[in-house]
Amino acid sequence: MHADAVSWVCTRIKRNSRASTTFFLVSGAVAARAIDPSFDTNYGITWGPDHVQSIDQGREIQLSIDNSSGSGFGSKLSYGSGFFSLRIKLPDKDSAGIVTAFYLNSQTDRHDELDFEFLGSNKGKPYTLQTNVFANGQGNREQRIFLWFDPTADFHTYKILWNQHQIVFFIDTVPIRVFKNKTNIGVNYPSQPMQIVTSLWNGESWATDGGKTKIDWSQAPFKAQFQGFNIDGCTSQNSNTQPCNSSSYWWNSEKYGALDSIQESAYEDVKTKYMTYDYCSDRSRYPTPPPECPQ
């Protein structure tokens, strides 16, 4: 069931009894699980196969890393637009130096890429989430936020909306980054077919405290779990992604062309309370702000 339809049904049922609401939520969860495809339908292991475990008949995948190898998986197809998501539970313990990544990548020389990178931390300290946007090989657009919840305690849904209007990174329903299409002023915008990729890897040279805090391998193996292998995307196997801008795809509709007022408020709240770095504000790096700033 489409998310808009689910929202409408939830609203209708909540007007009835508490028992009806409970029944719908349980039934809806069971239905969603029943139609959620297994991992092998849309994805395949890309590296470290002996560090990948399939759970619940492929409804969950666990990546692990130790001092011999990390691991990863990727989509079998590439996409030219879509609303991409995975449910992820991050490594616990003292995970400093460990990077859990969920991203889109065009796999080309002058590549496009949209990154979620979760930077491990010492136990008791908040996880840092770094996002980045590459277009035509140009990146260096990092933003970082502290997560306002414990991402190791349960699964959360991380989403990337990519259409011809904007790119939006979400945590559950909260937008945490927006990158608008500003090609009209000469800013490159991702337009190449991209594969969905995940990995669990050694980033101790930079990920935690600027590389000062190294991985404690006595805590290994570090494990991350992934669920939700359905893909809402327009497949594109050649360089022309123009057909993927069609309004026949729901994520290209006017509704997804800009944040609504509630989303705008939530986005501003994230920037005010949790953002720790924004390349747009880094004058030592960019004395003149990049043309796409502010976003």
Side-chain angles (χ1 to χ4, degrees):
M1 186 181 292
H2 187 279
D4 291 342
V6 171
S7 176
W8 180 84
V9 173
C10 282
T11 300
R12 295 281 293 181
I13 290 179
K14 284 177 181 177
R15 292 173 181 169
N16 298 323
S17 69
R18 183 184 300 271
S20 296
T21 303
T22 302
F23 174 77
F24 171 79
L25 293 176
V26 172
S27 299
V30 172
R33 188 175 180 80
I35 64 174
D36 201 22
S38 66
F39 171 80
D40 293 334
T41 303
N42 293 321
Y43 290 92
I45 298 168
T46 53
W47 67 292
D50 57 340
H51 287 62
V52 180
Q53 180 181 356
S54 177
I55 301 168
D56 190 19
Q57 297 181 318
R59 295 300 192 276
E60 180 175 324
I61 291 292
Q62 177 176 276
L63 300 183
S64 66
I65 181 173
D66 55 29
N67 58 4
S68 68
S69 179
S71 50
F73 63 84
S75 61
K76 294 178 179 179
L77 300 176
S78 294
Y79 300 86
S81 69
F83 204 161
F84 308 98
S85 67
L86 283 170
R87 296 191 296 273
I88 307 174
K89 184 178 179 183
L90 298 179
D92 56 6
K93 307 178 182 178
D94 287 327
S95 60
I98 300 295
V99 177
T100 307
F102 161 39
Y103 59 104
L104 309 181
N105 191 300
S106 66
Q107 313 290 340
T108 53
D109 291 338
R110 298 185 64 81
H111 73 294
D112 293 346
E113 184 171 316
L114 306 174
D115 294 329
F116 274 113
E117 292 181 308
F118 303 91
L119 312 183
S121 66
N122 293 116
K123 197 167 183 65
K125 293 185 177 180
Y127 251 86
T128 293
L129 167 60
Q130 175 171 288
T131 58
N132 206 345
V133 174
F134 287 77
N136 197 32
Q138 179 186 354
N140 297 321
R141 296 186 174 101
E142 299 90 348
Q143 289 184 353
R144 292 186 179 188
I145 63 170
F146 282 140
L147 297 182
W148 56 91
F149 55 90
D150 181 359
T152 73
D154 204 352
F155 287 88
H156 288 267
T157 303
Y158 303 93
K159 300 182 281 189
I160 301 173
L161 169 66
W162 170 38
N163 60 30
Q164 69 271 37
H165 308 295
Q166 62 176 352
I167 293 158
V168 186
F169 295 78
F170 290 87
I171 299 177
D172 297 319
T173 60
V174 178
I176 58 110
R177 180 171 188 171
V178 176
F179 188 84
K180 302 291 288 186
N181 185 340
K182 296 187 177 181
T183 52
N184 62 317
I185 60 170
V187 178
N188 287 322
Y189 189 78
S191 60
Q192 302 177 67
M194 290 193 279
Q195 180 189 21
I196 306 164
V197 186
T198 74
S199 61
L200 189 62
W201 57 284
N202 179 346
E204 68 174 8
S205 65
W206 65 277
T208 308
D209 300 326
K212 295 177 183 178
T213 303
K214 304 301 183 181
I215 297 172
D216 179 3
W217 290 113
S218 70
Q219 300 287 324
F222 301 94
K223 301 174 182 179
Q225 289 83 35
F226 299 80
Q227 298 175 348
F229 302 116
N230 184 56
I231 298 175
D232 288 317
C234 167
T235 58
S236 181
Q237 301 309 304
N238 57 55
S239 59
N240 179 22
T241 59
Q242 193 63 34
C244 290
N245 294 336
S246 168
S247 59
S248 64
Y249 296 108
W250 58 263
W251 54 83
N252 291 334
S253 67
E254 183 178 354
K255 174 180 178 179
Y256 298 96
L259 301 185
D260 62 30
S261 59
I262 295 174
Q263 291 172 327
E264 282 280 7
S265 178
Y267 179 41
E268 291 301 322
D269 199 47
V270 167
K271 290 193 291 184
T272 300
K273 294 181 179 179
Y274 305 110
M275 184 171 286
T276 61
Y277 178 80
D278 180 5
Y279 77 105
C280 283
S281 303
D282 190 342
R283 291 295 167 268
S284 62
R285 191 177 179 190
Y286 298 107
T288 301
E292 68 269 20
C293 298
Q295 286 285 344

